[in-house]
Amino acid sequence: MAMPLRQTIRVGTYLFEQKLRKREKFPLIVELEPLFACNLKCEGCGKIQHPAGILKQRMPVAQAVGAVLESGAPMVSIAGGEPLMHPQIADIVGQLVKRKKYVFLCTNAMLLRKKMDEFTPSRYFAFAVHIDGLRERHDESVAKEGVFDEAVEAIKEAKRRGFRVTTNSTFFNTDTPQTVIEVLNFLNDDLKVDEMMISPAYAYEKAPDQEHFLGVEQTRELFRKAFSGGNRRRWRLNHSPLFLDFLEGKVDFPCTAWAIPNYSLFGWQRPCYLMSDGYVPTYKELVEDTDWSKYGRGKDPRCANCMAHCGYEPTAVLATMGSLKESLRAARETVSGSRG
């Protein structure tokens, strides 16, 4: 686990405070979508399927910051759409960083070099660049040539300027353990990004491509083979050890989507950003008025093949906090990652 030690302590303190307050449901990280518009048409994403009028909307800065503060979460992942298309995105980031929220700005990097001057390096801020494979594979997944090369150059420039840079890679049933190994080796060893997040593709209902999502057993086999040979310990993966165990099928967890809630132009989304069963105006209503017992594998058919981090990473984190053995294990990997 390559999360910086200071951030790990901050999140651990936050979780301990929730336990003292006896709060059963609380946010770990907010997925903030201040717009749905994007400059790419990725086949595994359905955000740009919204009507033109919705795609033109941009969330006001006060609304975006207010939602995060209302939730109380220590971390924020700003996505979309492509957040760098928002004219006030640097202001949103600045306001959140000022309040010492850990902010990850998710981007396809097409505008990153152009917009980089608007941001300031901070231990509370990181660019999270979407990379789904090496050149041919990545450009195919985003349906445009040249995107991989631009993303690589943008990562290099951001690192040169002192920014933290993380990556987010989604894998499909067209991937093999070798393609996973190749892209993670490249990100870890050649580009030397600070952290990497990985995710099995989930059957997002509005995505144009519905044929290449992974099933549960496919996911487990893919990551079990990709992690073999010491790769898992060597890569700077931004996940808890128990979540990586989960991806390999060594453990299983219930879904806790309330811990990584999604806030967009429509409000707080039920139950998660991958499924849309309505919206509510406050996080309190999301937590209290949603029947969470209906969701998760074995409960809702839409969840049958889901192993996405938004549902299962927080469960793994909570399980880690509830076990001295797992807490020590996570601490060892955190310290190891911070040295690397």
Side-chain angles (χ1 to χ4, degrees), residues 181-194 196 231 234-236 340:
I181 291 169
E182 287 172 355
V183 68
L184 294 182
N185 276 346
F186 176 74
L187 297 172
N188 192 84
D189 303 336
D190 297 336
L191 285 187
K192 300 185 186 301
V193 300
D194 294 281
M196 300 176 293
N231 285 327
R234 190 174 62 80
W235 290 329
R236 292 182 295 278

Side-chain angles (χ1 to χ4, degrees), residues 25 202 253-258 268-280 286-287 289-306 310-312 315:
K25 294 182 175 62
Y202 168 80
F253 292 120
C255 175
T256 50
W258 43 262
W268 295 95
Q269 184 170 333
R270 287 183 174 141
C272 64
Y273 83 97
L274 294 167
M275 293 166 56
S276 182
D277 285 357
Y279 299 84
V280 292
L286 175 72
V287 169
D289 297 344
T290 303
D291 184 359
W292 298 100
S293 65
K294 297 193 306 182
Y295 300 104
R297 283 186 282 115
K299 298 177 180 179
D300 188 311
R302 295 172 297 176
C303 304
N305 289 313
C306 181
C310 64
Y312 297 98
T315 325

Side-chain angles (χ1 to χ4, degrees), residues 95-107:
Q95 292 283 344
L96 293 170
V97 167
K98 182 180 178 180
R99 291 165 173 81
K100 297 184 178 181
K101 301 293 183 182
Y102 285 93
V103 181
F104 298 85
L105 192 154
C106 303
T107 176

Side-chain angles (χ1 to χ4, degrees), residues 199-329:
S199 180
Y202 168 80
Y204 186 66
E205 62 181 359
K206 291 184 179 180
D209 181 0
Q210 291 288 319
E211 298 179 3
H212 296 118
F213 294 108
L214 285 162
V216 171
E217 291 307 317
Q218 287 177 301
T219 296
R220 290 170 175 168
E221 182 178 6
L222 178 67
F223 288 111
R224 187 163 50 242
K225 291 181 178 179
F227 289 161
S228 65
N231 285 327
R232 174 174 154 174
R233 293 188 298 274
R234 190 174 62 80
W235 290 329
R236 292 182 295 278
L237 296 173
N238 187 20
H239 295 288
S240 65
L242 277 179
F243 180 72
L244 298 178
D245 287 348
F246 170 75
L247 289 181
E248 289 192 65
K250 294 178 178 178
V251 295
D252 202 7
F253 292 120
C255 175
T256 50
W258 43 262
I260 306 187
N262 174 274
Y263 184 80
S264 71
L265 293 164
F266 300 139
W268 295 95
Q269 184 170 333
R270 287 183 174 141
C272 64
Y273 83 97
L274 294 167
M275 293 166 56
S276 182
D277 285 357
Y279 299 84
V280 292
T282 67
Y283 178 74
K284 185 174 185 291
E285 289 175 82
L286 175 72
V287 169
E288 296 180 357
D289 297 344
T290 303
D291 184 359
W292 298 100
S293 65
K294 297 193 306 182
Y295 300 104
R297 283 186 282 115
K299 298 177 180 179
D300 188 311
R302 295 172 297 176
C303 304
N305 289 313
C306 181
M307 294 181 72
H309 75 282
C310 64
Y312 297 98
E313 176 77 85
T315 325
V317 171
L318 294 172
T320 298
M321 289 295 294
S323 165
L324 177 59
K325 177 183 176 182
E326 292 299 334
S327 295
L328 291 173
R329 177 189 178 199

Side-chain angles (χ1 to χ4, degrees), residues 126-158:
F127 290 114
V129 180
H130 186 79
I131 299 287
D132 277 353
L134 297 182
R135 181 181 291 107
E136 182 178 352
R137 196 168 200 83
H138 180 71
D139 287 355
E140 181 181 8
S141 73
V142 301
K144 186 174 183 178
E145 292 185 3
V147 177
F148 177 83
D149 289 339
E150 177 59 33
V152 167
E153 291 306 311
I155 289 172
K156 290 179 179 178
E157 178 64 12

